[in-house]
Amino acid sequence: NDLQGIILAKLRKMQVWEYVIVKEDGGDSEVFGPFSTEQMNEWMYQGYFNNGNVKVRLRAEKNNNNNDNNNNAFTNVADVDFDDEVLK
């Protein structure tokens, strides 16, 4: 269905990713982002997230506000398939 494809494409453009790096003490770094799915996927393929200490979260771009209390939890980057934009 063409309409469904158009809607899905628009929804994907509204989604952005943020990431944190897990510190040695178990705490998280500052939040980095927002980044597009394409950028996150490229970094994943280039091996930037291979050391296992990165967590990511997906959120809608309309909430792209540093003062925003975003309740979306971060998850390990290894549990994300950026090709399908879904959590495993």
Side-chain angles (χ1 to χ4, degrees), residues 16-19 30-36 40 43 59 64 66:
V16 294
W17 295 88
E18 298 175 319
Y19 73 89
E30 65 182 286
V31 176
F32 298 98
F35 300 104
S36 69
M40 295 295 286
W43 286 337
R59 65 184 174 95
N64 185 7
N66 289 337

